[in-house]
Amino acid sequence: MTETTLPLRPLWRQITWWTIAFPIVMVVAIAWHDIYLLNWIHVLSGALWTGADLFMGFILGPVLRMLDIRARTALIAYLVPRTLLYFPMVSLTAGTSGWFLVSWFGFTTPANPMYYLVVISLALVAVMTVMGLGFLLPNSLRIWRELRRPEPDRERIVRLNRINIYLAGMQGLLQIAIILVMAKYVS
């Protein structure tokens, strides 16, 4: 490894295979109309999504700012390929399973007293989905592409990752808001 290149294995070897388990379990729960299993995967994927976003935004972000640019890009090179599939899988599983749950419970009809909570939840999920699929994922792909170059532009990598860390923190705050809304479902 030279000073300018980073050790990168093929992308498919770095993606954590178990992340596809989330949508698989969700599809099985929907097919079987198993409320317990669907609720379980909804809570698990939502907790992992929220925890990872809060960690990225409020713990990893400040740590990265303290590292020199070479250490930062080395950490980013390790982290980005592993999150390329993880974040979309847990976020889409949490949102989709949540939608099926509220529809199975009849909360999606305007006459239901929980309807306004569903609308708020959907608005928050829509904003987070746009942030995730519209900004975080494309930025991560840009970072990955830059890391694959013979001489990666470390400043660009750090700049793009700084945006992702900020957006992850914003998503973490929105997820706290949606948890507050969901807590109202059961009260």
Side-chain angles (χ1 to χ4, degrees):
M1 174 173 88
T2 66
E3 190 174 347
T4 58
T5 60
L6 298 168
L8 295 174
R9 297 182 323 196
L11 182 60
W12 66 270
R13 292 188 62 204
Q14 297 189 54
I15 293 175
T16 50
W17 62 268
W18 53 268
T19 58
I20 63 171
F22 292 98
I24 290 170
V25 170
M26 179 189 68
V27 167
V28 167
I30 292 168
W32 291 348
H33 204 280
D34 187 328
I35 291 174
Y36 174 80
L37 184 59
L38 189 61
N39 190 47
W40 178 81
I41 197 64
H42 172 67
V43 171
L44 178 63
S45 59
L48 290 173
W49 179 25
T50 302
D53 272 340
L54 291 172
F55 176 81
M56 298 279 279
F58 297 108
I59 295 173
L60 188 61
V63 168
L64 282 171
R65 283 193 294 273
M66 302 300 291
L67 298 175
D68 67 55
I69 195 162
R70 294 206 184 286
R72 248 187 272 179
T73 53
L75 181 57
I76 292 166
Y78 180 81
L79 190 62
V80 165
R82 286 160 180 80
T83 60
L84 279 173
L85 186 62
Y86 175 81
F87 277 113
M89 288 301 104
V90 295
S91 63
L92 292 173
T93 299
T96 305
S97 59
W99 172 256
F100 275 91
L101 285 169
V102 297
S103 65
W104 287 356
F105 289 131
F107 294 166
T108 56
T109 58
N112 191 296
M114 297 292 185
Y115 180 73
Y116 76 97
L117 295 173
V118 172
V119 171
I120 294 169
S121 298
L122 281 174
L124 289 167
V125 167
V127 169
M128 290 186 290
T129 301
V130 168
M131 286 172 69
L133 298 179
F135 297 99
L136 286 161
L137 183 59
N139 269 354
S140 293
L141 291 170
R142 286 182 196 103
I143 291 167
W144 176 251
R145 193 171 40 244
E146 189 65 40
L147 288 166
R148 301 292 296 172
R149 293 180 186 218
E151 302 224 7
D153 181 351
R154 292 177 187 274
E155 292 293 334
R156 182 170 191 248
I157 292 166
V158 168
R159 186 177 61 253
L160 288 170
N161 196 66
R162 189 177 304 124
I163 293 167
N164 277 8
I165 293 292
Y166 172 77
L167 289 173
M170 293 301 297
Q171 278 205 333
L173 293 175
L174 290 172
Q175 288 165 343
I176 289 171
I178 204 166
I179 290 169
L180 291 171
V181 171
M182 286 188 292
K184 188 70 175 159
Y185 281 101
V186 294
S187 65

